[in-house]
Amino acid sequence: MCGIVGYAGQSGNAKEIIIDGLKRLEYRGYDSSGIALISNGKLEVRKRAGRIANLEEMIKDESLNSKMGIGHTRWATHGAPSDINSHPHTNKDGSIAVVHNGILENYVELRQWLIEEHGIEFRSEVDTEVIVHLISIYYDGNLEDAVFKALQRMRGAYAIAAVCQDDPEKIVAFRRNAPLIAGIGRGCNFIASDIPAILRYVKEIYLIENNEMVIVTKDDIKIYDIDRNEVHRDIFHVTWDAESAEKNGYKHFMLKEIHEQPKGLYETLRRRIDDNGMINLDGICLTKEQLENFNRIYIVACGTAYHAGLVGKFAIEKMAQIAVEVEVASEFRYRDPFVDDKTLFIAISQSGETSDTLEALREAKRKGARIISVVNVVGSSVARESDDVFYTWAGPEIAVASTKAYTTQLMSMYIIALYMGITKGTIDKEYYESFMEDLKEIPDKAKKVLQLESMLASLARDLYKNEQIFFIGRGPDAGVSYEGSLKLKEISYINSFAIAAGELKHGTIALIEKDIVVIALATQDKLYEKMLSNIQEVKARGAYVIGMATENNKEIEMQADKVIYIPECRDELTPLLSVIPLQLLAYYIAKERGCDIDKPKNLAKSVTVE
Ligand code: G6P
């Protein structure tokens, strides 16, 4: 996600210090970067799409001697990643620069006001540009006064930092529901969105709270509340090293990302609900007529995203009553699929850059399909080439093994299915409303599932020496079994295989013998008894069975050797919860086996080759 770094000091190397800070935020993911420096009394702004190396290349021959400035890494939300959309943004005469993390919710209204009342000509598509023009309008010789006035008009969750060439000693920053810290140096001070950005220079920081402004000069850091009363803040002493700080204290990015799932689920849902509690696909036009015109839907993706599609199929077929085929992109693109203008093609991709998915999308487009993509990275190739994009709000995913991207993809599929159903009239209002209520409870239930962590870590200690582990499930549980099995094999290198439980008897059961571990998902009320029979089948051959069920289904204890319980929840939605214990189990098994969890061998995060 976006990152902010600011420096006010005595030496003339603000440029180098800020760029170094930005680099330390690279792990968070970004798509462009920029810097604003007060150099020889003038505000100098440089920004570039792409890697920080592009920005460095741009400024490498410029001296830009400066004692203060701000920098930013952007992860696009409003407007594609481009030079012009990168931060910092400046006012009309280029004397004030602002960097911004988060979202200005009322930017459309403020933009309109700035255009109509003040004749502002906007250069970029981003909400941040509104903020700098607003500050500029209120500027009357004192930067913090102007920022305070601008804040009165701004709604949303954000952190901002501003500098001004006419008030050149200070950085003015403000926090509202987005992280911000100030670092206490020797003869210099810092601001940053994250501790790792400045950990090389300072170990003592102030944690800025919501609705607080911080004014940083080379000599001083002052914090004010929203009523402009000065606030006393205790110093926080950082005891971590830079690497563990990036991981927020977690040992691996994968574990951090597993724990970020309640937030990702909440954000993905929240951003699609309007003030009346109804789904708002915001720009994605899917009318009743269009939905009635589709006679088939293809969901096409790779890896974990493909597994999200498998669950999506159940939701869409049930709610929108349109036939859905789910296919891996590398197969779809070469098999001359039956696609025409009555086809809806849904691509799912975390990175939006997976070559097979992109080519499959192009193939479907050539044949006249309508293309909707479910993508995490804004402005990625899949997003750009789709007719419409439904963004997931997982935030940057760093670990190769995908976790939070998967659950936010699932959430997206439910939202899309529900929207299709109510628009097409294939579900009624009562079903829609009760489903929405259940969806809203999912982030809290996901938090509850995370509390199983120590139990799963201990289970992992019992299991890690096994050289093969099977997963079985029915219906949506089969889809989750594939994902659980993929997680396990990709990070622990245990030979793992998942199969629809009813299919076991047609061959795979030949492999089941004494002490073979079978993880059996039985979270579907409708299929529960069938699953108990499948568990008996493998038990009869000597398997050691770990069952998974919802809290009120206790009969499974009679069959399975061990049971993982997830919170009670409607059948359709259990995949959002049941995958989490499987992720944790895979993680702890891999840890016991001493594997390189975030970077498993032979794998890449984004596969841009065929
Ligand atoms: C790679 C990654 C997987 C991912 C798959 C599809 O194989 O290692 O984690 O699921 O690509 O990636 P995408 O970015 O299209 O979701």
Side-chain angles (χ1 to χ4, degrees), residues 534-546:
N534 293 130
I535 292 174
Q536 273 171 1
E537 280 165 19
V538 292
K539 278 298 294 174
R541 274 118 192 130
Y544 179 84
V545 176
I546 298 161

Side-chain angles (χ1 to χ4, degrees), residues 472 504 509 511-516 518 531-545 558-561:
I472 57 173
L504 255 181
I509 202 159
L511 298 174
I512 305 296
E513 53 190 43
K514 189 165 173 347
D515 296 334
I516 289 282
V518 176
M531 272 308 296
L532 294 188
S533 305
N534 293 130
I535 292 174
Q536 273 171 1
E537 280 165 19
V538 292
K539 278 298 294 174
R541 274 118 192 130
Y544 179 84
V545 176
M558 315 277 285
Q559 317 286 345
D561 297 281

Side-chain angles (χ1 to χ4, degrees), residues 381-578:
S381 304
V382 169
R384 285 200 311 270
E385 297 194 27
S386 302
D387 296 313
D388 295 290
V389 190
F390 186 109
Y391 283 113
T392 49
W393 282 83
E397 196 177 60
I398 313 290
V400 167
S402 182
T403 53
K404 60 178 181 169
Y406 173 76
T407 41
T408 56
Q409 285 160 354
L410 289 185
M411 178 60 94
S412 310
M413 297 315 292
Y414 291 119
I415 297 171
I416 291 171
L418 201 54
Y419 183 84
M420 285 178 166
I422 194 75
T423 308
K424 204 176 160 204
T426 38
I427 54 171
D428 60 25
K429 195 144 185 289
E430 199 185 329
Y431 180 92
Y432 176 88
E433 283 171 355
S434 84
F435 201 98
M436 280 298 278
E437 285 314 306
D438 290 351
L439 266 185
K440 286 181 196 160
E441 287 177 6
I442 288 292
D444 280 340
K445 288 184 175 171
K447 274 189 202 154
K448 224 173 142 200
V449 178
L450 288 169
Q451 290 169 6
L452 298 172
E453 184 167 358
S454 56
M455 182 273 269
L456 293 161
S458 129
L459 184 58
R461 285 193 285 279
D462 298 339
L463 297 182
Y464 77 99
K465 287 189 180 144
N466 285 278
E467 282 313 323
Q468 53 180 339
I469 293 183
F470 290 84
F471 288 75
I472 57 173
R474 285 172 174 260
D477 280 351
V480 178
S481 297
Y482 296 133
E483 176 56 13
S485 170
L486 175 66
K487 278 306 77 99
L488 182 67
K489 77 179 102 182
E490 69 181 332
I491 59 168
S492 75
Y493 317 135
I494 288 177
N495 184 12
S496 175
F497 189 75
I499 186 164
E503 190 61 14
L504 255 181
K505 55 188 174 291
H506 298 294
T508 307
I509 202 159
L511 298 174
I512 305 296
E513 53 190 43
K514 189 165 173 347
D515 296 334
I516 289 282
V517 175
V518 176
I519 300 182
L521 275 68
T523 72
Q524 304 290 298
D525 279 349
K526 213 170 68 186
L527 298 165
Y528 186 63
E529 284 178 1
K530 300 275 169 229
M531 272 308 296
L532 294 188
S533 305
N534 293 130
I535 292 174
Q536 273 171 1
E537 280 165 19
V538 292
K539 278 298 294 174
R541 274 118 192 130
Y544 179 84
V545 176
I546 298 161
M548 190 192 295
T550 50
E551 272 159 2
N552 63 345
N553 282 326
K554 298 277 195 255
E555 304 92 293
I556 194 169
E557 288 176 16
M558 315 277 285
Q559 317 286 345
D561 297 281
K562 195 142 205 131
V563 182
I564 300 167
Y565 285 110
I566 57 168
E568 203 43 49
C569 144
R570 71 161 67 218
D571 272 12
E572 296 95 313
L573 293 178
T574 60
L576 288 164
L577 305 177
S578 58

